[in-house]
Structure formats: C-alpha cells, structure tokens
C-alpha cells in the first residue's frame, strides 16, 4: 500500500461524512457501486455471525429509495448529525479491491437542545477503485450499543 492510496481512502471517508453532515442526502448513494451492500447492525449480531441488521440495503437504487423516504415521507423531529471518523485502517489492498475499517461517532443536535451521542461503532468496508474514483462495494456500520435512541432516520 502506498501513501496515495491511503490518502484517497481517507478522502473518501471525509467526503462521505461531510455530505451527510451537510444534509446533502442526494449525494449519499453516489458513494456506492450500483450493486452494493449497506447495513447498520449491532455489534452483538455481527460478532455472533447473525445476519439480522437494523437497516439493510442491497443496491444503489435501495439507497436512493431510502433517501426519498427520509426526505419526502418520514415525519420526525429535525436534527443535525455530526460524524467524527477515525483514521482508516487499511486491512488489504489488491487488484483494485480495498478492505478498510474506521471507528466512528455520530452526534445529534436538535434545535434548541444540547448535542448528544447518537451512535458509536466502526465501519467495515470493501472499497473498489473505479474510473469514477473510490466507491463502496460494501459498508457495514457496526454499532456498539444494543440500543438506538428513537429510530435511525439518516445514514450513519
């Protein structure tokens, strides 16, 4: 692995978080390949090999549907997410396929209220190097807590 690859992966993670924190929801699916996997699941299920996920999507089309539902049909108290993502750890990189992981913390701020910790865990990613740049083939958001406050509205 070379420094250029590490920098590109770091940039992918930073751009992903910036898009979500800026409420640029329409950009979210474009971080993924057309055929992709995105799951949010508790650590306990992941460590035991249980496939049950809190949210599970299997294509960029499903991600677009989620954004449409989130922005056009779901009613919820508005809040601002803020992602803090640790430095990525690249586990392997061969033939345009990168396996990486990073810790994350998502904070939530509702208007007129103090910020609170919303979700903490780690990303387990498979990233592909494409003509359009690095894109997620698979992103597992493994959260540490067994409980989620209220519901998951926005992507992690």
């Amino acid at each position: 692995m070379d420094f250029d690859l590490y920098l590109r992966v770091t940039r992918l993670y930073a751009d992903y978080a910036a898009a979500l924190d800026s409420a640029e929801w329409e950009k979210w699916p474009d971080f993924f390949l057309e055929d992709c996997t995105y799951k949010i699941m508790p650590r306990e299920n992941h460590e035991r090999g249980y496939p049950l996920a809190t949210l599970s999507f299997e294509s960029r089309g499903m991600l677009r549907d989620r954004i449409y539902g989130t922005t056009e049909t779901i009613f919820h108290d508005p809040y601002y997410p803020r992602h803090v993502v640790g430095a990525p750890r690249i586990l392997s990189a061969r033939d345009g396929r990168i396996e990486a992981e990073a810790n994350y913390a998502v904070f939530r701020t509702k208007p007129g209220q103090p910020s609170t910790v919303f979700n903490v865990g780690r990303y387990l990613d498979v990233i592909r190097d494409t003509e359009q740049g690095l894109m997620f083939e698979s992103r597992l958001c493994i959260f540490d807590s067994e409980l989620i406050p209220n519901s998951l509205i926005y992507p992690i």
Side-chain angles (χ1 to χ4, degrees):
M1 182 187 69
D2 60 16
F3 182 73
D4 180 59
L5 177 62
Y6 183 78
L7 186 60
R8 291 174 63 213
V9 170
T10 301
R11 180 67 187 253
L12 174 67
Y13 280 43
D15 290 346
Y16 178 96
L20 297 180
D21 291 345
S22 300
E24 295 176 315
W25 309 119
E26 71 284 351
K27 290 184 179 180
W28 179 58
D30 296 333
F31 286 96
F32 294 84
L33 296 174
E34 196 63 45
D35 293 320
C36 63
T37 301
Y38 175 83
K39 292 183 181 182
I40 301 174
M41 63 190 314
R43 180 180 186 164
E44 180 180 18
N45 286 5
H46 178 73
E47 288 179 351
R48 292 182 178 186
Y50 298 158
L52 184 61
T54 306
L55 288 177
S56 180
F57 304 107
E58 297 177 3
S59 70
R60 189 187 297 165
M62 291 179 79
L63 300 179
R64 285 190 184 111
D65 285 348
R66 177 63 183 189
I67 292 305
Y68 176 80
T70 297
T71 59
E72 302 296 327
T73 65
I74 297 174
F75 178 77
H76 61 90
D77 287 339
Y79 67 89
Y80 307 108
R82 180 68 56 204
H83 292 69
V84 178
V85 181
R89 190 171 152 239
I90 296 180
L91 306 173
S92 70
R94 312 187 182 95
D95 303 322
R97 183 178 190 274
I98 303 150
E99 293 182 18
E101 68 178 7
N103 295 326
Y104 71 82
V106 180
F107 297 87
R108 178 173 66 178
T109 306
K110 292 184 177 184
Q113 296 183 22
S115 298
T116 59
V117 176
F118 179 70
N119 194 283
V120 174
R122 69 183 171 135
Y123 296 126
L124 296 179
D125 298 316
V126 176
I127 301 165
R128 290 286 183 176
D129 197 354
T130 72
E131 291 179 7
Q132 294 79 32
L134 295 181
M135 300 177 83
F136 294 109
E137 177 179 313
S138 172
R139 172 157 264 200
L140 301 181
C141 308
I142 311 298
F143 60 89
D144 290 336
S145 176
E146 296 172 7
L147 302 174
I148 300 171
N150 298 334
S151 59
L152 287 170
I153 304 295
Y154 301 125
I156 297 291

